[in-house]
Amino acid sequence: MGPNKRLILVLAQSLLIGAVWGQDYNYLFTANKLPDQAVRPTLANGNLGFVIYGDAVHMNGVYNGAGGVSHRARIPNYANIQINTCSGAEPSNCAFQLDMKANMFRTVYNEPTGYFRIVHDVYPHRHYDMVIVNKIRIQRLASQGPIVVAVSSFPGPPSVDITFNAPQVVDIRGQIYTRMCGRTNVVENTLYQTYGHDVCVHFQSLPQTLSLSEDTTAEEFFFYTAFTRTPVEAERELGDIHGFNPDLVQRMHTIEMDRIWAKYGITVEGNNDLDKVLKASSFYLSSSLRAAYTNQPSSYPFYGLSPSGLGRGGEELKEYQGHSFWDTEMWMYPPILLIDPVNAAKLLHYRSVVFRAAENNAKKNGYEGWQFPWESAFTGSEVTPECCPEVVEYQHHITADIAFAARQYYYATHDVTWLRTEGCRLAYESARFWASRAKYMNETDLYEIHNVMGPDEDHHDINNNAYTNVIAAHNLLFGEFAGCVCGGIVGALAQESARMAQIGRGMTLRYNEELDFHPQFDGYVIGTPIKQGDVVLLGYPLEYPMNISTKANNLRIYSQVTRSNGPAMTWAMHTIGHLDLEQIAEAAGMFSKSYSQYMRAPYNVWSENGDGTDGAGNFITGAGGFLQSVINGYAGVRLRDGELSITNPRVLPQTTRLFIPEINYMDVKFSLDITPQTTNITFLQFSTLRNVKVVIDGVDRSQETNEIYSATFQDKVTISPATQPALNGCKLRKTEIGIKVADQAEDSSMVHPVSHLLLILLALVSVFKVL
């Protein structure tokens, strides 16, 4: 498709969005001086990322360094152009503005005598996502003569990560570019990577000055810098750009940003400060994801979300080096799944791309199936730095976290094609890991998991961590389901699938009956300090059934001993727990705590630390947890097997309205508009509702129509599939654990897909193994 046809297509698609964004100052963040590097904003587009006026650009999937020092490769930032008068340590007459709505950073210089103004915009293009754009506008105000503006490029020192060949001069549609191509120096793991990543940079020569002639009122200067893997990609990208008017090029970027905000533009009224927190959280999280429509497909799949996003991680042993942790699946993924399921699928696909390393990791440690490493980058092998051997040896819950995300994806989409091509294998092989990891205990007739570390990283080499055991049970029962649905595809054996169910249902969950709470691990003593939420996660997101009093005691006991400056996500989960218990005042306190001490002025950058120290910058893990407290907490949205429900939605504290522009479930899109009095649900694609059943305040409101449909409700909405997919009669069991093996054998009503006799034989085998 030629550039003109592509432009027409993109413009036509934009008309379908229906979102016209007016002026909204809550998207704008301005300062008179740039803050320190740690709290400067990052700009990204899902393929490229960089810190504002930083000397490095990072590309999706491009890493350098072996093992624990693997990090995002630093590419010199030839797009780092600055106005000289505003580039010093103490600039005067300059303003520095982040426009989140446009995904642009703007530097404005007002000449002190009022003669002219310079406006400099820089942004990673959302449609041409291999290009960073610099636009400098000189505007005459009162001056009569020529105006000369000094500018400079600050690409930084040569990269230690990439060896570039000699530069070449190339002509692209009449524009002269310097081309520098090279390859990263050190592969991450020689078992899975035979050579480094190819990188090409194309940049234009920057004059020392830009001039506005005396007979001109204003002029704009454009500089495009391409960061690609091959020269062909750059020539295609830049060739298209130079075939258009610059205003149209910017319009194509704006169209994609409008699409993003049509999804992620969660808004509150009555509290501008909180609305800015919402805008910043959505902005920094979505920036690391690809746009809906890009100019050309990337030669790499999407390589996960790191806690500091795509714009950071280019230094060894800093800002998580661009690695993926459980942060991806448990903290950032849930809001993305409901808002942006296409990108959620890409996040899951990353784990399937790197499965071979997970398979070998399990074998190396004496287990079966797939054991995902604690930190993962390009190859999927373990890349945790040498500083932290405990997390590698004990923090195994990440394998079940990934399977839990896959389970949630199936809940939200019923995507049977994905299930049979990727999902079943991920579910089954991760369940095989837990089946080989769990221990049968003859004295209790139950299974236990020993020698682990839960989310609370202050305690390792413990037994029966509550969170690990419950999420492993989720994984095991999902694995049994996958074995039934895709038996031949995943090589499932009836005996193996049945054993997964037996272990999952027979998993141990410690419970102190006298004090009515769940000990975090065997031997936990009340009052022992912990780093972050652990047992509280049983309530949400794991939604393990328990008495209301037990949930309340879990929240009370662990909130009193959790580090006050621990990760922000802890307080977001406490918020949801209190809301579930109708403890509104307590929820409001935790909600405020979940963001107020983690936001850094002047650009509302999320920080990892709650004590005022820098920590990891652009900490989008915290943004993900915060958005869960909004969507799954106050808005009351819950995703479960067989339904999506919205129960007792509320506005956020000190606000008068909460608006969530898009939530997706089973190809149905809807918005929520919540006030203290009522909640309005608007189905944006109601024609697809023939595939689902909608019950609003107890009344079945399912109907077929091609019109946008709205309804007001007070209590609850449930949306469920009108029909179940044909899955060979397979059913996904509810996660009910603590059932003794002997009792399971007697429960013939739950036997599926293997026979009652087979379960009895498995139980006997387990007993004889111990004896």
Side-chain angles (χ1 to χ4, degrees):
M1 183 184 296
N4 291 321
K5 289 183 178 180
R6 186 179 298 111
L7 174 63
I8 293 170
L9 176 63
V10 172
L11 291 174
Q13 290 166 335
S14 73
L15 297 177
L16 302 176
I17 298 175
V20 180
W21 298 93
Q23 183 66 27
D24 188 339
Y25 291 102
N26 289 344
Y27 289 92
L28 303 177
F29 298 78
T30 305
N32 293 323
K33 179 182 177 182
L34 284 174
D36 293 338
Q37 189 84 355
V39 293
R40 287 190 190 181
T42 60
L43 293 183
N45 61 12
N47 187 52
L48 304 176
F50 59 97
V51 177
I52 287 301
Y53 290 152
D55 65 5
V57 170
H58 305 304
M59 294 176 65
N60 164 53
V62 177
Y63 294 85
N64 184 66
V69 295
S70 172
H71 57 279
R72 294 197 190 278
R74 177 191 169 274
I75 308 169
N77 187 3
Y78 287 95
N80 185 16
I81 297 171
Q82 299 181 38
I83 305 168
N84 286 9
T85 54
C86 294
S87 63
E90 297 294 335
S92 59
N93 305 303
C94 298
F96 302 92
Q97 183 179 78
L98 174 64
D99 184 346
M100 293 183 178
K101 179 179 164 185
N103 192 23
M104 292 182 182
F105 194 82
R106 176 169 295 138
T107 300
V108 179
Y109 172 73
N110 285 298
E111 199 273 334
T113 61
Y115 285 166
F116 64 91
R117 175 183 299 124
I118 307 168
V119 179
H120 172 206
D121 292 334
V122 59
Y123 61 96
H125 204 283
R126 267 297 190 172
H127 179 68
Y128 295 107
D129 65 0
M130 301 179 186
V131 170
I132 297 174
V133 180
N134 279 274
K135 170 186 171 183
I136 300 176
R137 177 183 176 86
I138 305 175
Q139 175 73 52
R140 186 185 305 279
L141 299 177
S143 171
Q144 299 300 314
I147 300 171
V148 178
V149 175
V151 293
S152 297
S153 175
F154 299 94
S159 175
V160 297
D161 298 325
I162 304 168
T163 299
F164 285 100
N165 300 324
Q168 298 175 305
V169 176
V170 295
D171 184 313
I172 301 177
R173 282 207 175 213
Q175 301 295 317
I176 302 303
Y177 279 84
T178 297
R179 172 192 294 162
M180 293 179 57
C181 292
R183 179 171 287 180
T184 55
N185 297 325
V186 182
V187 300
E188 184 176 285
N189 188 312
T190 56
L191 288 176
Y192 315 104
Q193 186 181 6
T194 56
Y195 49 84
H197 306 270
D198 291 324
V199 175
C200 284
V201 185
H202 288 67
F203 58 94
Q204 296 168 290
S205 177
L206 182 71
Q208 292 183 341
T209 60
L210 305 176
S211 300
L212 183 69
S213 61
E214 58 185 350
D215 58 347
T216 306
T217 302
E219 187 170 352
E220 295 177 340
F221 303 85
F222 294 86
F223 302 94
Y224 303 101
T225 311
F227 298 84
T228 63
R229 293 176 176 83
T230 67
V232 172
E233 289 177 334
E235 290 166 6
R236 184 185 302 129
E237 198 95 330
L238 293 169
D240 281 4
I241 285 174
H242 288 299
F244 295 135
N245 180 288
D247 289 341
L248 291 179
V249 173
Q250 183 165 326
R251 175 61 181 152
M252 295 171 82
H253 168 79
T254 303
I255 287 169
E256 293 306 324
M257 287 308 302
D258 285 348
R259 293 184 201 278
I260 289 165
W261 285 114
K263 290 176 174 291
Y264 285 90
I266 302 172
T267 300
V268 295
E269 292 182 358
N271 188 331
N272 282 335
D273 289 340
L274 183 53
D275 193 52
K276 287 189 171 185
V277 174
L278 283 164
K279 297 294 188 290
S281 300
S282 295
F283 173 74
Y284 291 121
L285 182 62
S286 64
S287 291
S288 287
L289 303 171
R290 298 202 81 189
Y293 298 96
T294 56
N295 180 53
Q296 56 185 322
S298 173
S299 56
Y300 278 18
F302 189 74
Y303 273 86
L305 281 180
S306 177
S308 288
L310 183 55
R312 294 177 182 264
E315 296 182 65
E316 293 183 7
L317 307 180
K318 290 185 178 180
E319 296 185 316
Y320 297 109
Q321 302 181 129
H323 298 171
S324 291
F325 299 69
W326 77 309
D327 302 49
T328 303
E329 283 78 16
M330 297 306 292
W331 300 114
M332 296 178 260
Y333 174 87
I336 295 169
L337 174 60
L338 293 174
I339 294 172
D340 190 2
V342 172
N343 272 313
K346 292 177 183 177
L347 290 178
L348 279 181
H349 180 64
Y350 163 63
R351 299 297 187 176
S352 295
V353 167
V354 297
F355 82 91
R356 188 67 64 192
E359 183 178 61
N360 289 338
N361 193 38
K363 290 178 181 177
K364 180 187 71 173
N365 295 324
Y367 303 121
E368 298 176 1
W370 295 356
Q371 180 188 0
F372 288 96
W374 181 242
E375 297 189 29
S376 178
F378 178 68
T379 65
S381 58
E382 182 63 77
V383 289
T384 299
E386 294 181 1
C387 65
C388 312
E390 295 87 1
V391 295
V392 174
E393 186 173 358
Y394 300 110
Q395 204 157 8
H396 296 171
H397 63 80
I398 188 170
T399 295
D401 299 333
I402 293 166
F404 187 78
R407 181 172 171 145
Q408 294 287 304
Y409 182 78
Y410 179 70
Y411 287 176
T413 65
H414 274 197
D415 186 341
V416 176
T417 300
W418 165 83
L419 193 66
R420 288 177 171 147
T421 55
E422 287 189 35
C424 276
R425 193 171 187 197
L426 191 156
Y428 195 78
E429 294 296 340
S430 56
R432 288 184 67 224
F433 164 72
W434 290 110
S436 66
R437 180 78 171 77
K439 296 178 180 292
Y440 176 77
M441 309 304 290
N442 188 49
E443 59 271 24
T444 61
D445 196 24
L446 295 172
Y447 287 88
E448 298 184 359
I449 301 177
H450 295 174
N451 311 113
V452 297
M453 173 192 287
D456 167 26
E457 294 176 334
D458 286 349
H459 297 92
H460 65 273
D461 198 9
I462 56 174
N463 296 340
N464 293 315
N465 170 249
Y467 174 86
T468 301
N469 284 16
V470 171
I471 201 165
H474 275 305
N475 193 166
L476 285 156
L477 295 176
F478 191 37
E480 180 216 15
F481 173 68
C484 177
V485 174
C486 307
I489 298 173
V490 299
L493 301 173
Q495 177 179 345
E496 189 172 48
S497 295
R499 187 165 183 269
M500 290 175 183
Q502 181 193 85
I503 297 171
R505 300 175 69 213
M507 188 62 65
T508 296
L509 177 61
R510 300 298 189 203
Y511 171 67
N512 186 312
E513 187 172 356
E514 179 183 357
L515 299 177
D516 188 20
F517 86 110
H518 291 110
Q520 185 169 291
F521 50 84
D522 286 356
Y524 177 79
V525 176
I526 290 181
T528 302
I530 65 173
K531 176 183 177 181
Q532 64 186 60
D534 194 315
V535 171
V536 296
L537 303 182
L538 300 188
Y540 175 89
L542 301 191
E543 294 201 310
Y544 186 77
M546 66 184 78
N547 293 331
I548 292 175
S549 60
T550 308
K551 182 181 288 188
N553 286 334
N554 285 343
L555 278 169
R556 176 182 55 82
I557 288 170
Y558 292 107
S559 65
Q560 293 174 353
V561 295
T562 302
R563 288 188 200 173
S564 61
N565 63 343
M569 308 85 69
T570 289
W571 315 120
M573 297 303 101
H574 280 253
T575 300
I576 296 174
H578 286 301
L579 289 170
D580 286 350
L581 295 169
E582 300 288 332
Q583 296 172 347
I584 307 305
E586 292 87 344
M590 289 295 178
F591 181 70
S592 175
K593 192 173 184 178
S594 74
Y595 69 87
S596 59
Q597 62 190 29
Y598 300 92
M599 305 299 293
R600 297 291 182 265
Y603 300 110
N604 271 21
V605 173
W606 277 86
S607 176
E608 179 183 24
N609 295 344
D611 59 1
T613 58
D614 290 339
N618 194 46
F619 190 61
I620 57 176
T621 301
F626 171 77
L627 291 175
Q628 287 187 63
S629 72
V630 174
I631 299 170
N632 307 110
Y634 281 97
V637 179
R638 297 297 171 89
L639 182 61
R640 302 185 178 103
D641 186 17
E643 72 170 31
L644 180 142
S645 67
I646 309 151
T647 307
N648 195 16
R650 305 174 176 88
V651 295
L652 304 185
Q654 300 178 336
T655 69
T656 57
R657 181 190 178 204
L658 169 61
F659 178 67
I660 302 176
E662 183 175 315
I663 294 175
N664 294 265
Y665 177 71
M666 298 285 295
D667 294 324
V668 175
K669 300 178 188 294
F670 63 88
S671 66
L672 287 176
D673 198 345
I674 304 167
T675 71
Q677 291 75 39
T678 59
T679 300
N680 194 68
I681 182 170
T682 299
F683 292 95
L684 308 174
Q685 286 183 201
F686 201 76
S687 60
T688 61
L689 285 180
R690 62 177 62 95
N691 300 322
V692 299
K693 178 180 179 181
V694 179
V695 178
I696 299 177
D697 285 339
V699 179
D700 189 343
R701 303 287 289 273
S702 305
Q703 55 183 288
E704 293 186 16
T705 177
N706 291 321
E707 302 296 327
I708 291 177
Y709 175 77
S710 294
T712 299
F713 70 99
Q714 297 285 347
D715 182 32
K716 185 174 184 179
V717 171
T718 60
I719 308 172
S720 56
T723 58
Q724 295 294 329
L727 296 173
N728 306 324
C730 303
K731 302 290 184 182
L732 176 58
R733 300 174 189 261
K734 292 182 179 180
T735 303
E736 298 173 332
I737 66 177
I739 304 171
K740 294 184 177 182
V741 172
D743 294 336
Q744 291 183 46
E746 295 173 2
D747 184 6
S748 59
S749 65
M750 291 297 293
V751 175
H752 182 80
V754 297
S755 68
H756 182 197
L757 178 60
L758 180 56
L759 278 179
I760 294 175
L761 291 173
L762 287 170
L764 291 173
V765 168
S766 296
V767 172
F768 283 122
K769 279 185 177 179
V770 173
L771 294 176

